[in-house]
Amino acid sequence: RSPTNPHPSERDMSSQLPEASKGCVRADIKHSCISLRPIHSNRVHVTIFLTGDPQIRLVPNWLVRFVLGHMVPYMYEGAIDHLNRAFVDNCGEMQNRIRSRKEFYHPIEERVKDVLTAQGREAPRILA
């Protein structure tokens, strides 16, 4: 080891980024991590998690289309799975809270029922 050739654990692994070009704004990434999960002997599933601020006033159409086409379906399925698990126990805290506010939850239940029926799926009865 020497100052000109430090040990890999002592190297500064950060990158010095140049200033943004005129008219360009850099995104501010607060936190991020990468999850690697082996699928087969020669395949890995990579998931990237990040919290960031793109520092733009309007979200570009391509990003809206990407989120709607790729992320929202997973979020929707996750919400449906959560609801299905939550309503297995018909006397749980969540069900009691929902039943106590029928004026608020009834329109939501009807909308979920419409969406799931259009998909050929059975909607859980929340207020029954």
Side-chain angles (χ1 to χ4, degrees):
R1 291 194 287 194
S2 71
T4 58
N5 188 15
H7 187 271
S9 65
E10 297 172 346
R11 288 189 194 139
D12 180 8
M13 301 302 281
S14 63
S15 298
Q16 297 301 321
L17 298 174
E19 291 296 318
S21 300
K22 186 176 180 176
C24 295
V25 177
R26 292 205 186 279
D28 186 13
I29 306 299
K30 303 288 186 187
H31 307 282
S32 66
C33 68
I34 298 175
S35 169
L36 304 171
R37 183 174 43 109
I39 299 173
H40 299 293
S41 61
N42 62 347
R43 294 190 61 149
V44 175
H45 182 262
V46 177
T47 305
I48 300 172
F49 301 93
L50 64 92
T51 303
D53 178 3
Q55 299 184 16
I56 55 178
R57 291 178 187 226
L58 300 173
V59 179
N61 288 338
W62 66 266
L63 183 56
V64 172
R65 285 191 300 271
F66 175 80
V67 169
L68 290 175
H70 296 284
M71 297 173 75
V72 171
Y74 292 109
M75 294 166 47
Y76 177 77
E77 288 298 321
I80 293 300
D81 290 343
H82 176 74
L83 285 172
N84 286 336
R85 285 192 308 275
F87 291 102
V88 169
D89 173 18
N90 214 11
C91 298
E93 179 184 344
M94 180 185 269
Q95 295 81 2
N96 291 335
R97 195 175 333 133
I98 289 171
R99 287 188 191 104
S100 71
R101 298 203 48 211
K102 289 184 180 185
E103 73 285 351
F104 179 79
Y105 287 101
H106 181 70
I108 296 171
E109 180 182 40
E110 289 302 310
R111 181 67 181 128
V112 168
K113 180 179 156 190
D114 292 345
V115 170
L116 292 179
T117 302
Q119 294 177 352
R121 299 168 66 179
E122 185 177 338
R125 291 298 305 165
I126 299 170
L127 298 172

